[in-house]
Amino acid sequence: MSYIFMGILTVTLLITALVLKDKYEFTKTIGALSWIALSLYFIVEFIVIRASTASYNFLKQPMSDLGVTICGIDTYELAAYEICSPAHLAMNWTFTLTGIAVFTGAIFLHRFWPDNMKTKTATVLLVIFGISYSISGIFPADINFLVHTFASLPGMFVQIPALIIIGRAIKSTMPKLSKWTYFCLVLNLLSLLFIFLQPVFPELPGGLIQRVLYGSVWLWMIVTGIVLLNKSVQRK
């Protein structure tokens, strides 16, 4: 029942954000706070890891393992090791709410970017990034591995063109934020490269690399949210 509610909440808030995006000035503040709230993710993850009754390797294991709803070995494809995460519901809610925070911020903060087709495309890509992450919480790996996996794939790539577009769009109006965007983009690209190298170099810390892949985007969003919130306050 909780997972059905997660899905309903995700769809409802996506539609609400799209309806309200240009109607009220306060949505900019909500958007900025949504991105800033992403900083809470790793606090929750740390608590969930501590609650795990099976050994969990932060460096090696994927984040999805923390959302697996059953205990045992071979709980899903590719997991030939023991997993037991009693706080899996909290983790899956965190996955879902993280995605909601991402697409809410993307929609409500669009007005800070130059209004053209390229930045609209970037916003759509970031919305897809958020939806992709929410789905990983709505469909844990052990409940539906295919949906969990294939829905997560866009979240590995769509942020790249989005950050390039936004970095270019704000180069003259917000040069420091533009440089920050490119810095986070480089981190993201490097982590994606290392993910592709994992089959060749299995000793690479896959769990850490995955966290850098997503964390580099969240870090960009957190700092960007702070900067844009400050701009919004100054304009009042």
Side-chain angles (χ1 to χ4, degrees), residues 40-105:
L40 299 174
Y41 172 85
F42 286 110
I43 296 175
V44 176
E45 188 186 68
F46 174 77
I47 294 171
V48 173
I49 290 173
R50 291 293 299 270
S52 178
T53 55
S55 177
Y56 181 86
N57 191 326
F58 176 89
L59 298 177
K60 291 287 186 179
Q61 288 181 245
M63 299 148 80
S64 297
D65 285 0
L66 296 172
V68 169
T69 64
I70 57 176
C71 294
I73 299 172
D74 293 319
T75 52
Y76 67 90
E77 290 85 341
L78 307 179
Y81 47 84
E82 186 180 6
I83 296 173
C84 193
S85 180
H88 59 266
L89 187 59
M91 196 71 248
N92 288 321
W93 264 112
T94 302
F95 290 151
T96 303
L97 293 175
T98 295
I100 290 171
V102 168
F103 69 63
T104 299

Side-chain angles (χ1 to χ4, degrees), residues 148-203:
H148 178 89
T149 302
F150 284 107
S152 298
L153 288 177
M156 296 176 65
F157 304 100
V158 294
Q159 73 282 357
I160 296 171
L163 292 181
I164 292 172
I165 291 168
I166 292 173
R168 287 179 176 176
I170 63 175
K171 188 175 181 180
S172 59
T173 55
M174 292 180 269
K176 290 182 179 179
L177 188 58
S178 177
K179 290 178 181 177
W180 171 248
T181 302
Y182 287 129
F183 172 75
C184 291
L185 174 63
V186 170
L187 285 179
N188 193 257
L189 288 169
L190 287 173
S191 60
L192 188 60
L193 173 63
F194 282 122
I195 284 177
F196 285 130
L197 289 175
Q198 265 195 288
V200 182
F201 302 101
E203 67 275 10

Side-chain angles (χ1 to χ4, degrees), residues 1-12 93 96 100 138:
M1 194 66 188
S2 294
Y3 296 99
I4 294 173
F5 184 62
M6 288 180 200
I8 294 171
L9 183 66
T10 300
V11 173
T12 301
W93 264 112
T96 303
I100 290 171
I138 298 168

Side-chain angles (χ1 to χ4, degrees), residues 17-18 20-38 100-116 119-120 122-124 126-127 162-163 166 169-170 173-174 177 181 217-233 235-236:
L18 290 170
L20 297 178
K21 65 184 177 69
D22 296 319
K23 290 190 175 183
Y24 303 100
E25 190 67 20
F26 71 82
T27 56
K28 290 182 180 179
T29 301
I30 294 175
L33 291 175
S34 294
W35 277 5
I36 294 169
L38 292 170
I100 290 171
V102 168
F103 69 63
T104 299
I107 294 169
F108 286 163
L109 296 177
H110 173 77
R111 285 186 287 172
F112 281 100
W113 317 134
D115 189 16
N116 55 51
T119 57
K120 287 178 181 177
T123 296
V124 170
L126 292 178
V127 169
L163 292 181
I166 292 173
I170 63 175
T173 55
M174 292 180 269
L177 188 58
T181 302
V217 183
W218 298 337
L219 185 60
W220 172 74
M221 290 178 172
I222 293 164
V223 173
T224 300
I226 293 170
V227 171
L228 298 184
L229 180 62
N230 186 51
K231 281 183 173 293
S232 183
V233 170
R235 288 176 185 176
K236 291 180 180 179

